[in-house]
């Protein structure tokens, strides 16, 4: 994507630095700057967008605050990558009731392709009956199965994703999305409600069918508000609870 100088017809009410941030997001979305790569020097970017260094820095500050870019002192500013160290619990909000946080052990227990029903299609902003990748994970915390994740991805965006890739990934799921398919999760929306354990989920969680669970509906978004993952999580809250500190 070629980025031109700022359009003087920028919508009313939008400040200049936010327009610069929007243009930078467009460049990221187009793959101009890859995960882990440094973005161009501030002087070069300020000339490209025809703004002052101060305005450019404010735009970069906004993207850093959203964990899209990362500043490394003395080295420059880089496109963020998803990994266990840098994304510690940013998208994982289940903790033991005594407050202890731990990484989950993830076991893939199902993988296949399906047609999107109305719920999945609406969440992913795709056509009903469009092809989706559907896989199921069981997450274990401190030796106890706590979460069953039913995950749906638009097959068109994840062409070539295999069960083996999920099983053998060396890092997080979102790192695989980013490095393997150019899909960078930058934010999530989650809705919570109560539910009852289905027979299959009860077997995976080691609880009785009909036991009360916490049901989480998550949509993960990439650049330009593009939904790329819908996740339905069933959580056994006997010893665990949902805790999100601050904003995503």
């Amino acid at each position: 994507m070629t980025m031109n100088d700022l359009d003087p017809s920028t919508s009313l009410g939008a400040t200049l630095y936010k327009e610069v941030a929007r243009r930078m997001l467009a460049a990221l979305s187009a793959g101009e700057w890859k995960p882990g790569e440094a973005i161009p020097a501030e002087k070069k970017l300020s000339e490209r967008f025809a703004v002052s260094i101060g305005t450019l820095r404010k735009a970069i500050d906004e993207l850093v605050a959203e964990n899209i870019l990362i500043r490394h002192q003395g080295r420059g500013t880089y496109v963020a990558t998803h990994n266990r160290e840098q994304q510690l619990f940013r998208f994982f909000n289940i903790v033991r009731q005594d407050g202890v946080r731990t990484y989950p052990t993830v076991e893939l227990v199902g993988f296949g392709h399906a047609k999107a029903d109305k719920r999945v299609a609406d969440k992913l902003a795709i056509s009903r009956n469009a092809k989706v990748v559907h896989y199921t994970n069981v997450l274990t915390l401190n030796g106890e199965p706590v979460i069953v994740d039913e995950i749906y991805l638009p097959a068109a965006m994840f062409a070539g994703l295999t069960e083996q890739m999920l099983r053998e990934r060396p890092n997080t799921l979102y790192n695989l999305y980013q490095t393997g398919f150019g899909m960078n999760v930058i934010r999530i929306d989650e809705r919570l409600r109560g539910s009852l354990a289905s027979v299959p989920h009860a077997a995976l969680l080691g609880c009785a069918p009909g036991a009360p669970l916490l049901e989480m509906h998550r949509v993960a978004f990439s650049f330009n508000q593009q939904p790329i993952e819908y996740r339905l999580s069933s959580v056994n809250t006997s010893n665990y609870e949902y805790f999100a500190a601050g904003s995503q």
Side-chain angles (χ1 to χ4, degrees):
M1 172 181 282
T2 300
M3 307 288 284
N4 298 319
D5 289 347
L6 292 178
D7 186 341
S9 64
T10 298
S11 58
L12 293 175
T15 58
L16 191 56
Y17 83 89
K18 286 189 176 292
E19 176 65 9
V20 174
R22 186 187 67 79
R23 295 291 183 99
M24 293 182 71
L25 277 175
L28 287 162
S29 181
E32 185 173 340
W33 308 319
K34 306 295 185 185
E37 288 184 354
I39 64 173
E42 289 181 349
K43 184 176 186 300
K44 185 174 181 180
L45 288 174
S46 68
E47 292 172 352
R48 171 174 172 169
F49 299 125
V51 296
S52 68
I53 292 289
T55 297
L56 177 73
R57 285 177 179 168
K58 196 169 182 180
I60 292 175
D61 286 344
E62 182 161 286
L63 298 180
V64 168
E66 294 176 1
N67 298 294
I68 296 169
L69 299 177
I70 295 178
R71 281 197 175 96
H72 292 293
Q73 190 66 34
R75 293 171 50 200
T77 303
Y78 290 73
V79 181
T81 58
H82 286 281
N83 57 59
R84 283 170 65 100
E85 290 72 31
Q86 293 180 357
Q87 300 297 330
L88 179 65
F89 299 116
R90 182 182 171 206
F91 297 117
F92 188 71
N93 297 316
I94 300 300
V95 301
R96 206 163 65 186
Q97 289 175 359
D98 59 7
V100 171
R101 286 180 176 265
T102 186
Y103 282 115
T105 299
V106 181
E107 179 187 3
L108 180 69
V109 297
F111 177 87
H113 292 83
K115 293 182 178 179
D117 61 17
K118 184 180 186 304
R119 179 190 65 189
V120 172
D122 288 347
K123 296 292 187 181
L124 293 176
I126 58 178
S127 301
R128 190 169 182 177
N129 293 323
K131 193 173 183 182
V132 293
V133 179
H134 172 214
Y135 63 97
T136 305
N137 284 334
V138 175
L139 280 63
T140 300
L141 296 169
N142 302 300
E144 177 184 359
V146 176
I147 306 168
V148 177
D149 282 340
E150 301 287 355
I151 299 176
Y152 302 85
L153 309 173
M157 296 181 185
F158 290 88
L161 178 64
T162 65
E163 181 176 355
Q164 183 178 7
M165 292 171 68
L166 289 170
R167 289 191 185 280
E168 298 179 359
R169 58 185 171 79
N171 210 298
T172 66
L173 282 173
Y174 287 177
N175 176 269
L176 174 62
Y177 295 174
Q178 184 180 55
T179 58
F181 301 92
M183 297 294 168
N184 190 3
V185 175
I186 63 173
R187 74 174 183 87
I188 61 171
D189 284 348
E190 285 185 333
R191 294 176 180 270
L192 312 178
R193 66 186 70 160
S195 67
L196 301 177
S198 66
V199 172
H201 284 183
L204 292 171
L205 292 171
C207 63
L213 301 177
L214 175 67
E215 186 174 281
M216 301 193 307
H217 296 257
R218 171 191 292 188
V219 180
F221 295 87
S222 188
F223 304 112
N224 299 318
Q225 305 299 315
Q226 174 67 57
I228 63 172
E229 179 200 73
Y230 169 53
R231 181 180 304 207
L232 174 59
S233 301
S234 298
V235 185
N236 185 342
T237 57
S238 296
N239 299 309
Y240 291 82
E241 61 190 11
Y242 183 92
F243 175 73
S247 63
Q248 294 292 349

